[in-house]
Amino acid sequence: MTQILKVRGLSGSDIERISIKDLEIFDPECLEVPKSLCVWQTYDMLDHFGIETMVVEDLSAEGMCFVNKGVVTIALNNDTYDGCCDDNPRDRFTVSHEICHALHHGKYLLDGCEFTSAFYRHSEVKPYEDPEWQAHRYASALLMPAKMVCKVLDNPDSMFAPEILMEKFEVSYTAATKRIQNLKKMRIL
């Protein structure tokens, strides 16, 4: 059975606030004007936060966050990094997801490991304590800030709403649809 490091529980609203604080550092303009975050530049800035980044040619996963010799590290496979640089929506989401792990879950890795640990899904962890659930919500909020989604969607129930988000924020149809659903649940839309 695969083990997971349980993280501090966060609500969707907590994750929204965290993503806003991070955007204030990475690209504050994304909080004023609906636009696409330059994810690869954000990834390349992580060394300023003491996070090591690497691109690995033969990494079997798209990306992963782990501790390497006491340093929180993100490894991306070559295709994911190149795709992110080419603004591929899926790869942009994956990199944003890993950024969440590094920035907001790295301390759990550092505290909970003797050698090297990594995040893995485990069905017994409550969703709000699941680092994978949190990283998905974070990536969505980072790429599509709630305030900016509200600015660009006149009618969130329109069948064209996902396509509007896809074009404006360079995200996939799945990510756009899920973001709309989550913002409606939170009564933001």
Side-chain angles (χ1 to χ4, degrees):
M1 180 180 281
T2 304
Q3 301 244 328
I4 189 171
L5 293 174
K6 188 165 92 170
V7 296
R8 180 175 66 93
L10 294 173
S11 68
S13 296
D14 293 332
I15 294 168
E16 293 292 325
R17 282 190 292 279
I18 290 166
S19 69
I20 288 169
K21 286 181 181 179
D22 289 351
L23 280 171
E24 288 170 349
I25 295 166
F26 297 136
D27 188 350
E29 189 179 357
C30 285
L31 297 169
E32 300 299 323
V33 178
K35 70 176 205 134
S36 173
L37 174 68
C38 187
V39 177
W40 67 265
Q41 279 185 333
T42 302
Y43 179 76
D44 287 345
M45 289 172 59
L46 293 176
D47 63 327
H48 299 295
F49 299 91
I51 296 167
E52 183 177 339
T53 58
M54 59 176 69
V55 178
V56 181
E57 184 92 21
D58 56 354
L59 185 66
S60 59
E62 293 173 339
M64 62 187 301
C65 180
F66 57 95
V67 172
N68 182 24
K69 299 177 185 168
V71 177
V72 175
T73 303
I74 297 178
L76 300 176
N77 74 29
N78 211 27
D79 292 339
T80 301
Y81 182 77
D82 288 346
C84 182
C85 292
D86 291 338
D87 293 324
N88 175 287
R90 170 102 170 109
D91 296 323
R92 287 168 35 80
F93 192 92
T94 297
V95 175
S96 298
H97 174 104
E98 297 303 331
I99 288 171
C100 176
H101 284 319
L103 289 175
H104 302 292
H105 301 142
K107 62 185 167 219
Y108 297 98
L109 285 172
L110 289 168
D111 291 343
C113 70
E114 293 175 12
F115 304 105
T116 300
S117 288
F119 290 111
Y120 296 97
R121 182 169 298 287
H122 188 286
S123 60
E124 292 178 12
V125 174
K126 295 173 186 157
Y128 59 89
E129 296 173 331
D130 179 351
E132 292 301 311
W133 178 85
Q134 290 182 9
H136 273 63
R137 288 294 291 261
Y138 174 89
S140 182
L142 193 74
L143 295 172
M144 298 171 276
K147 182 179 170 185
M148 296 302 103
V149 170
C150 292
K151 271 190 178 183
V152 299
L153 290 184
D154 293 332
N155 178 6
D157 295 319
S158 164
M159 63 187 263
F160 301 110
E163 286 83 1
I164 293 168
L165 296 187
M166 289 169 62
E167 182 180 324
K168 185 58 73 177
F169 300 109
E170 297 185 79
V171 296
S172 69
Y173 181 84
T174 301
T177 303
K178 191 77 167 165
R179 182 67 170 151
I180 292 168
Q181 290 170 353
N182 286 332
L183 291 175
K184 284 181 178 180
K185 281 182 194 173
M186 296 172 67
R187 301 185 200 289
I188 294 172
L189 277 181

